[in-house]
Amino acid sequence: MSMKLAQLEIKNSQLEIKLKEKDSELESMETMLGNQQDRISELRETTENSGDELNKATFQLDLSARENEHLRSELERLKKEGQSMEEQIANLQREKSCLTEEFSQTTELNAKLSAQNSKLIGHNNMKQKIQHHVKIKEENNSLRKEKQSLIELLAQKEQVISKLMKQGAKEGKENRMVLQPIATNVVRQQ
């Protein structure tokens, strides 16, 4: 069970790293958005100065406005994705806390039962020994069922996390492909 907790902590750390990456992408997008707005302002001034360049500047202005709109929509999408990841991290932390508490309670119960078992083993009465063993078997069966249901629940959670990570990775690749030319332009301007 502690191994599963460690795995959950690793997944939690991975999600936090991914969230930080998304935050840096958001900052980069906001910078690009500001640069695009500056560029639009410059293009508007240029169109007032020359008649021949008016059509070219208008075209550039429209292009910049479309790019600006695209960046805004990307920024909003990334913000929503970041919020979703924060919620997932919070859920995983709550789940980890519950599992840790349950593990602690199970450990305490095991210690109590071991102590009780030690006392009962000393009985000379055969009927008491049999009753004690029947109780232990019932408890063991109950704990096995509970353990199996927790394992299944954890497997479901891991599948969801894996799916989300794959989806996030896939979306991350698409974002990098879309944003690569824009990022290159920003780097050149600096």
Side-chain angles (χ1 to χ4, degrees), residues 1 4 20 33 58 69 104 135 158:
M1 185 163 227
K4 292 185 185 235
K20 287 178 184 176
L33 183 61
T58 303
E69 189 59 37
S104 174
K135 282 184 181 180
E158 289 175 347

Side-chain angles (χ1 to χ4, degrees), residues 19-60:
L19 180 61
K20 287 178 184 176
E21 290 173 357
K22 293 295 180 181
D23 284 341
S24 67
E25 283 183 33
L26 281 174
E27 290 176 14
S28 174
M29 295 289 273
E30 288 173 349
T31 302
M32 285 190 276
L33 183 61
N35 290 341
Q36 289 296 327
Q37 288 173 340
D38 292 344
R39 186 173 172 201
I40 289 171
S41 296
E42 291 172 8
L43 288 174
R44 284 189 179 141
E45 291 175 13
T46 304
T47 56
E48 294 173 4
N49 295 335
S50 70
D52 283 339
E53 294 177 9
L54 181 62
N55 290 335
K56 292 178 187 177
T58 303
F59 177 76
Q60 286 290 348

Side-chain angles (χ1 to χ4, degrees), residues 40 58-73:
I40 289 171
T58 303
F59 177 76
Q60 286 290 348
L61 181 64
D62 290 342
L63 183 62
S64 294
R66 279 181 269 170
E67 287 178 18
N68 193 12
E69 189 59 37
H70 174 73
L71 289 174
R72 279 192 181 129
S73 65

